[in-house]
Amino acid sequence: GQQLNQSPQSMFIQEGEDVSMNCTSSSIFNTWLWYKQDPGEGPVLLIALYKAGELTSNGRLTAQFGITRKDSFLNISASIPSDVGIYFCALMDSSYKLIFGSGTRLLVRP
Amino acid sequence: EPEVTQTPSHQVTQMGQEVILRCVPISNHLYFYWYRQILGQKVEFLVSFYNNEISEKSEIFDDQFSVERPDGSNFTLKIRSTKLEDSAMYFCASTVNFIRATNEKLFFGSGTQLSVL
């Protein structure tokens, strides 16, 4: 099956710091997605990336689709307490189902 | 904003019992999915459903699992004889389609936490 590696597994940062997390895949995909999951909730889409090299922002969040189409990163600038949660990268395969990464748990110290 | 609704939010059952997890997708959506997340692990695809039939299923979705759209609004996941390892958060999701130009996306429900004792 597809290998999707997400790192880091967890991060504990100070409010105001920037955060970066990334994912790599063993195969080439055409769609990278970044989701956030709050406790007790379902994943919510943050950013969708469709083109190699694409850099997309959503407020304080920035994500890029790697040129090789095998990797992506998500940056959060000036973190705030409500950024706490689990961030998942996900790939959309040719049958439109999502393959999720293992998640990055983010904790923000006020 | 429209949302995917799942009931119940928590379900506790005895091993070997049947459970039905219910979902009401967003009304104009056409594609429906079940995913599950074992505690502390990633979200995993179970099954996709379109045009009243299963489009694809994962190896997790064995003969003990079934899905149904009994009417125009509900989408259910049935586990016939639950096992301990079925304990997980089950998410329903729906979307209109995946044509990129329309920027449609997959909407997830809040999940049903299934605990098998």
Side-chain angles (χ1 to χ4, degrees), chain A residues 37 41 50 95 97-98 101, chain B residues 35 37 42 56 100 110:
Chain A
Q37 184 180 25
E41 298 291 326
Y50 301 109
S95 61
K97 71 175 185 287
L98 298 183
Chain B
Y35 286 78
Q37 184 179 31
K42 63 183 178 182
E56 187 172 354
R100 210 164 14 102
S110 298

Side-chain angles (χ1 to χ4, degrees), chain B:
Chain B
E1 188 174 338
E3 58 182 23
V4 176
T5 307
Q6 287 186 244
T7 55
S9 57
H10 292 85
Q11 174 89 50
V12 181
T13 190
Q14 293 289 326
M15 191 169 59
Q17 295 294 305
E18 174 184 287
V19 294
I20 297 176
L21 310 183
R22 301 180 192 279
C23 170
V24 178
I26 295 172
S27 62
N28 64 331
H29 284 188
L30 302 174
Y31 293 79
F32 313 112
Y33 303 79
W34 284 99
Y35 286 78
R36 80 168 187 192
Q37 184 179 31
I38 294 172
L39 184 64
Q41 298 187 22
K42 63 183 178 182
V43 179
E44 300 174 288
F45 168 80
L46 289 179
V47 65
S48 57
F49 190 87
Y50 170 71
N51 201 25
N52 284 321
E53 60 183 24
I54 290 175
S55 306
E56 187 172 354
K57 57 185 180 180
S58 72
E59 58 190 25
I60 302 168
F61 195 90
D62 61 23
D63 291 343
Q64 294 301 311
F65 290 84
S66 62
V67 289
E68 197 177 32
R69 188 153 163 80
D71 52 42
S73 60
N74 291 284
F75 179 52
T76 62
L77 174 69
K78 184 195 293 187
I79 309 175
R80 266 181 268 283
S81 178
T82 50
K83 304 187 286 287
L84 295 176
E85 54 265 37
D86 293 329
S87 295
M89 179 76 90
Y90 287 81
F91 292 107
C92 174
S94 71
T95 189
V96 175
N97 58 47
F98 278 104
I99 298 174
R100 210 164 14 102
T102 62
N103 200 32
E104 294 298 340
K105 61 180 184 180
L106 195 63
F107 288 81
F108 284 85
S110 298
T112 294
Q113 179 65 56
L114 176 65
S115 299
V116 182
L117 306 178

Side-chain angles (χ1 to χ4, degrees), chain A residues 33-94:
Chain A
L33 306 165
W34 284 93
Y35 283 85
K36 183 190 179 198
Q37 184 180 25
D38 290 324
E41 298 291 326
V44 174
L45 182 67
L46 298 174
I47 293 178
L49 301 161
Y50 301 109
K51 259 192 310 195
E54 181 180 356
L55 183 72
T56 298
S57 293
N58 178 6
R60 293 178 297 105
L61 276 59
T62 302
Q64 184 158 32
F65 190 161
I67 290 290
T68 64
R69 290 196 282 155
K70 288 187 173 184
D71 62 298
S72 177
F73 71 74
L74 174 71
N75 287 342
I76 305 173
S77 62
S79 57
I80 60 178
S82 60
D83 290 335
V84 164
I86 304 177
Y87 292 79
F88 291 98
C89 62
L91 299 169
M92 186 180 297
D93 71 6
S94 56

